[in-house]
Amino acid sequence: MSIHSLIRPLVAGAALLAWAAMAPAVAQTPAPPQHVRGSIESVQGHMIAVKTARGATDSITLADDAKVFTVSAADIGAIKDGRFVGITSVEKDGKRVAVEVHVFDESLRGLGEGHYPWDLGSGPNMMTNANIAKVEAVGGDRVLKLDYKGGTQSIAVPPDATVVEFTVGTPDQIKPGAKVFVLAHADADGKMVAGAIVVGKDGLKPPM
């Protein structure tokens, strides 16, 4: 069986379920999520081998209903009122500052909505998936007023923040050499199973 036949066609509604696994709800399941960042070394059927930044190679099984997403380079101009975004931020001088901003395709609005801990880098950081209620210019930054179910946040986006467009991907993008972010969990046998995979377009490293 090829990877194309093992991964079902993607629709926005199903995609919501995949990204929801990145929100705190996952913590309620017996197996905690594992975020794998690296490059695909090989693809054999529904198995992928991902070489991580640590130099290790993780063998991961793609679930039959695994969802594929794509990130591509964008600029600050993509951040506009009314867009749904995902922002990884850190706290600096008492305010939240964006490290990266994912601007979602409209079909993915609501994906992983909320404000919760993330694991980018070594220091504490948060992921906020929310609607941009307002964009303000403050000095050299853009300050985003964000609304999500259950709360609001104000996050500054400095000029050096990474900005990407986040869209639905296709199975043929899962190939050797692709840089990926994989959301996986350990099954009953301790093997890693992926429910969602984010692929960087044109060699881009998914900033997640």
Side-chain angles (χ1 to χ4, degrees):
M1 256 189 192
S2 70
I3 193 170
H4 299 269
S5 62
L6 285 164
I7 299 180
R8 298 172 185 171
L10 300 173
V11 295
L16 297 180
L17 297 178
W19 191 275
M22 298 183 183
V26 153
Q28 300 172 9
T29 64
Q34 300 181 43
H35 296 167
V36 180
R37 301 169 172 93
S39 299
I40 296 178
E41 286 196 322
S42 65
V43 179
Q44 296 184 348
H46 60 304
M47 295 287 297
I48 61 173
V50 178
K51 186 171 184 178
T52 70
R54 305 186 310 274
T57 299
D58 290 345
S59 295
I60 303 171
T61 300
L62 293 168
D64 289 347
D65 58 352
K67 307 304 181 294
V68 185
F69 302 98
T70 302
V71 290
S72 56
D75 58 32
I76 201 76
I79 301 174
K80 302 175 182 177
D81 290 0
R83 296 300 301 267
F84 189 84
V85 295
I87 300 178
T88 309
S89 64
V90 296
E91 187 172 342
K92 291 184 179 179
D93 301 323
K95 66 178 181 179
R96 299 221 65 82
V97 178
V99 177
E100 54 191 37
V101 180
H102 316 120
V103 182
F104 287 91
D105 183 80
E106 188 60 26
S107 67
L108 299 177
R109 175 173 291 275
L111 203 61
E113 186 170 357
H115 178 70
Y116 39 88
W118 201 244
D119 64 348
L120 181 70
S122 58
N125 50 90
M126 300 290 290
M127 178 68 79
T128 307
N129 284 20
N131 181 69
I132 300 177
K134 188 176 183 181
V135 179
E136 297 180 335
V138 180
D141 297 347
R142 291 193 180 189
V143 177
L144 310 185
K145 307 296 183 181
L146 302 167
D147 292 337
Y148 54 90
K149 292 177 182 178
T152 62
Q153 291 290 324
S154 179
I155 301 179
V157 182
D160 61 351
T162 299
V163 182
V164 295
E165 295 273 4
F166 195 103
T167 62
V168 174
T170 56
D172 63 311
Q173 294 173 308
I174 304 174
K175 57 188 178 183
K179 293 180 173 60
V180 294
F181 170 89
V182 184
L183 178 72
H185 69 275
D187 65 11
D189 297 321
K191 296 180 180 179
M192 296 179 67
V193 179
I197 181 169
V198 181
V199 182
K201 190 175 181 181
D202 298 325
L204 177 70
K205 176 183 175 182
M208 305 177 68

